[in-house]
Amino acid sequence: MELQAVIIGYKNHARRIIDIVISSKKYSKIYIYHPDIKKLSTLSSLNPLVEITDKFSDLNKCSCFYISSPSETH
């Protein structure tokens, strides 16, 4: 079974999580989610496994979720 992960958040602590997940090489696809996709434009060239998205429906296929956005956004 191929593992797919989603990381909710993109700055500060989330960026550290993104780097760790990419370097783990355990995932076939890594989604980075934010409801305002324009804020994710700086992440578009991170890694071929990374896909940025603002579509919550993309997350249905993921088996692992990292919620690393600020507490008030949960």
Side-chain angles (χ1 to χ4, degrees):
M1 178 181 172
E2 291 187 350
L3 293 176
Q4 296 185 358
V6 61
I7 301 165
I8 300 173
Y10 69 101
K11 292 191 316 187
N12 303 321
H13 181 62
R15 183 53 196 254
R16 288 189 291 275
I17 298 294
I18 291 167
D19 292 339
I20 291 167
V21 170
I22 289 171
S23 68
S24 76
K25 300 184 187 332
K26 294 183 183 203
Y27 301 98
S28 60
K29 178 66 89 177
I30 301 164
Y31 292 92
I32 301 174
Y33 172 83
H34 193 281
D36 183 359
I37 200 161
K38 291 178 269 180
K39 292 187 176 186
L40 299 177
S41 63
T42 59
L43 302 176
S44 60
S45 62
L46 275 178
N47 185 293
L49 297 178
V50 173
E51 184 173 323
I52 59 172
T53 185
D54 63 346
K55 295 179 179 72
F56 203 73
S57 61
D58 287 342
L59 312 183
N60 287 334
K61 49 192 149 213
C62 295
S63 51
C64 184
F65 289 76
Y66 296 89
I67 301 174
S68 54
S69 61
S71 297
E72 66 270 8
T73 65
H74 293 183

